[in-house]
Amino acid sequence: MTDLFRSGLYAFLACLGFCIMYNIRERKVRFAACVGGALMWVIYLLIEPYGALYGVFFSSLAVALYSETMARVLKKPATVFLIVGILPLVPGGGIYYTMYYCIQGNMQMFVEKLFSTVATAGLIAVAVSFSTSAFRISDKIKRK
């Protein structure tokens, strides 16, 4: 449990660094975005033992739903919360190693990393699309 809390804290601090880099000035928005990143990382760590791709999808879905909710609560664009919240899960290492194995000529590892990285990025995109679509449909239903 302490490792889970510590990992969430590290994700929060990493997101805080990105908030500073992206020049997000409002404290409420910065805090909410960082909480989204920490929440996403903890959910990923809880689900990841059942399969890394399940962890990616459900944690991305959770942070996308959180972002849409916080956008309505704080009256800010959902993109602010989403970009910062999703950063700990972005497959930067996978992209690096994919290119590394390509340059080294290790085609077996290149293809393996390529599929893993594309699957991770694709699942993030699908989860965000589901969340955004769900909120837009619910808004249209409320307006009618």
Side-chain angles (χ1 to χ4, degrees), residues 4 9 11 13 22 24-25 39 47 62 71 78 83 92 94 106 114 123 130:
L4 200 60
L9 178 64
L13 293 174
Y22 289 143
I24 298 173
R25 294 197 175 140
L39 174 74
I47 299 174
I83 289 175
N106 188 346
L114 178 68
L123 283 173
F130 280 172

Side-chain angles (χ1 to χ4, degrees), residues 64-76:
L65 291 171
Y66 174 81
S67 298
E68 292 286 343
T69 304
M70 291 312 295
R72 281 150 178 78
V73 169
L74 296 177
K75 306 218 183 324
K76 299 290 179 191

Side-chain angles (χ1 to χ4, degrees), residues 53 56 60 89-91 115-125:
L53 294 179
V56 168
S60 298
L89 199 58
V90 171
F115 284 130
S116 171
T117 303
V118 169
T120 300
L123 283 173
I124 291 170

Side-chain angles (χ1 to χ4, degrees), residues 16-144:
L16 182 62
F18 278 102
C19 284
I20 292 168
M21 188 173 80
Y22 289 143
N23 205 17
I24 298 173
R25 294 197 175 140
E26 287 187 51
R27 285 188 179 171
K28 288 190 296 189
V29 174
R30 192 181 319 156
F31 180 76
C34 294
V35 166
L39 174 74
M40 185 270 314
W41 190 248
V42 168
I43 290 172
Y44 173 76
L45 291 177
L46 289 172
I47 299 174
E48 193 256 343
Y50 302 105
L53 294 179
Y54 291 122
V56 168
F57 179 76
F58 288 113
S59 61
S60 298
L61 186 63
V63 79
L65 291 171
Y66 174 81
S67 298
E68 292 286 343
T69 304
M70 291 312 295
R72 281 150 178 78
V73 169
L74 296 177
K75 306 218 183 324
K76 299 290 179 191
T79 310
V80 173
F81 304 104
L82 184 63
I83 289 175
V84 174
I86 211 84
L87 279 171
L89 199 58
V90 171
I95 295 168
Y96 171 81
Y97 284 111
T98 299
M99 294 312 301
Y100 176 77
Y101 291 131
C102 180
I103 291 170
Q104 294 296 320
N106 188 346
M107 286 301 137
Q108 180 180 355
M109 289 301 294
F110 165 71
V111 170
E112 187 177 314
K113 276 294 181 187
L114 178 68
F115 284 130
S116 171
T117 303
V118 169
T120 300
L123 283 173
I124 291 170
V126 168
V128 170
S129 297
F130 280 172
S131 169
T132 304
S133 298
F135 268 85
R136 286 189 182 178
I137 290 170
S138 70
D139 283 346
K140 285 187 179 186
I141 291 171
K142 285 180 185 177
R143 287 184 185 153
K144 288 184 180 183

